[in-house]
Amino acid sequence: MRVLGLLSGTSHDGIDVAVVDFADADGALHGTVLHEDSVPYSPDLRARLVAALPPAPTTLAEVCELDTLIGQEFAEVAASAAASVGGVDAVCTHGQTVFHWVDAGHALGTLQIGQPAWIAERVGAPVVSDVRIRDITAGGHGAPLVSFLDELLLRGRPGVSAAVNLGGIANITITGPSGLVAYDIGPANALVDAVVVAEGLNERGYDADAEIALAGTVDEALLSALLDDPYYALPTPKSTGKEHFHLDYVREHVGGRRIADADLVRTLTELTVRTVARDVRAAGIGYLAVSGGGCHNPLIMRGLRDALPGVEVVLADELGASADSKEAILFALIGWCTMHGVAAVIPGGTGAREPRILGTITPGAGPLRMPEPVARVESLTLS
């Protein structure tokens, strides 16, 4: 079965897409990646999205319009990717997170927009969507869902191994003799991106090649205040997002002091290095596979390697999943699992009481025909 995975992450800079051809043999699943790409949002749509995200006020009318416009852009990306491989059997879309409701350490709700009916109409294949909420109803955080893929890719490695994704938020999956733990560490690129956009420091909306940060120095007083955020001390499982880590959060911590833009970006970059490295050391991790946009930041990667001299720090490509496309591959996998009746979540990964089959299904052009159910995914290889 060919499944197309789509998402836009907490960096909300564009749409990642992957098409994976899955073949199952008694639970041993092999996926051949046929297509992978990342397509930027149109500038006007991204600007409207950024303006509507918390803590900014918005209206239901704007949410409705964004739901349609994002759904249409996702549909065009999906249609192009599907055509490039001669068609797909199903699509799984994450959509765009606009709010993740966490209160007193418990996830109570989550909202992703990008109306899947537009994708189903454009591609003609059934579409799995709204994949986080079922996990939340079972007591989980709905995140990090990538822990399901990470566990399969890390399975069998000796000692304690981990995969960390450095998107807007940094999340980590840890596997070892004690089982699996996964959670959101804190901001990876979210705060840096917010400052870069607000101050017009780079038209691409992020610190490309860490050029801005490399021109600055760490403000130790600010860094110390940021590291004192109570979120970091919360027990796992836990999740967070831009509802907590956003531009006003940075401004509140700066408190009106005069800090040069380069120094501020350098300090926020160092925050990512310190928080990730601290958790890696605490867990006794010996092998760390890194993915997401942050893996292209030389300052972050150098900082992690310097802070973790006893840890093998590699790109996720070594596990078989492209560091840039791992989460798009994840949603293709979730789509395959949902269509086959397989729970695509591990309780240790999200905190859910039990595994759950994720998502809802929008039929494609014809009758909805489900494949024969599969009991479980015993193993996964990617090529």
Side-chain angles (χ1 to χ4, degrees), residues 17-306:
V17 57
V19 179
V20 186
D21 191 0
F22 291 105
D24 170 55
D26 296 323
L29 193 61
H30 178 79
T32 302
V33 180
L34 304 178
H35 176 89
E36 50 190 332
D37 197 6
S38 184
V39 181
Y41 274 132
S42 60
D44 289 347
L45 178 56
R46 185 172 192 265
R48 285 184 66 175
L49 172 62
V50 171
L53 291 173
T58 191
T59 65
L60 288 175
E62 183 67 358
V63 172
C64 179
E65 291 181 26
L66 286 171
D67 187 42
T68 289
L69 295 172
I70 291 172
Q72 290 172 337
E73 288 215 0
F74 269 60
E76 289 306 311
V77 171
S80 176
S84 74
V85 299
V88 297
D89 301 302
V91 176
C92 180
T93 176
H94 170 264
Q96 176 69 65
T97 296
V98 290
F99 197 81
H100 189 67
W101 182 18
V102 179
D103 185 41
H106 299 282
L108 301 176
T110 189
L111 180 61
Q112 286 75 43
I113 62 174
Q115 177 53 240
W118 291 103
I119 304 169
E121 186 70 20
R122 186 71 174 82
V123 178
V127 178
V128 178
S129 63
D130 205 15
V131 295
R132 294 190 185 273
I133 189 61
R134 187 61 189 279
D135 181 75
I136 289 176
T137 66
H141 275 260
L145 293 181
V146 73
S147 58
F148 179 71
L149 173 60
D150 287 339
E151 192 277 333
L152 288 167
L153 296 177
L154 292 169
R155 186 178 294 179
R157 295 196 63 86
V160 181
S161 300
V164 64
N165 187 72
L166 302 176
I169 300 297
N171 61 63
I172 192 168
T173 303
I174 305 167
T175 65
S178 299
L180 179 142
V181 177
Y183 59 95
D184 287 343
I185 296 173
N189 304 310
L191 299 182
V192 169
D193 291 352
V195 170
V196 170
V197 171
E199 302 302 327
L201 304 180
N202 188 309
E203 63 182 9
R204 285 177 284 185
Y206 63 96
D207 187 12
D209 298 321
E211 289 182 357
I212 302 167
L214 286 169
T217 58
V218 173
D219 185 303
E220 293 293 345
L222 175 59
L223 179 60
S224 178
L226 292 167
L227 287 168
D228 282 341
D229 189 302
Y231 174 78
Y232 301 119
L234 291 175
T236 61
K238 58 183 178 178
S239 61
T240 190
K242 290 189 173 180
E243 304 76 29
H244 184 71
F245 294 107
H246 48 69
L247 181 63
D248 286 350
Y249 173 90
V250 176
R251 288 173 171 165
E252 288 168 9
H253 279 80
V254 171
R257 291 198 297 124
R258 295 179 63 86
I259 300 178
D261 290 338
D263 293 347
L264 181 56
V265 172
R266 178 64 178 263
T267 303
L268 297 174
T269 303
E270 182 64 17
L271 175 67
T272 298
V273 173
R274 295 276 185 97
T275 53
V276 172
R278 181 171 61 186
D279 283 16
V280 169
R281 284 193 298 267
I285 292 163
Y287 176 91
L288 183 68
V290 186
S291 62
C295 77
H296 297 296
N297 184 309
L299 194 56
I300 290 177
M301 294 302 291
R302 187 174 72 216
L304 288 176
R305 290 187 170 111
D306 288 347

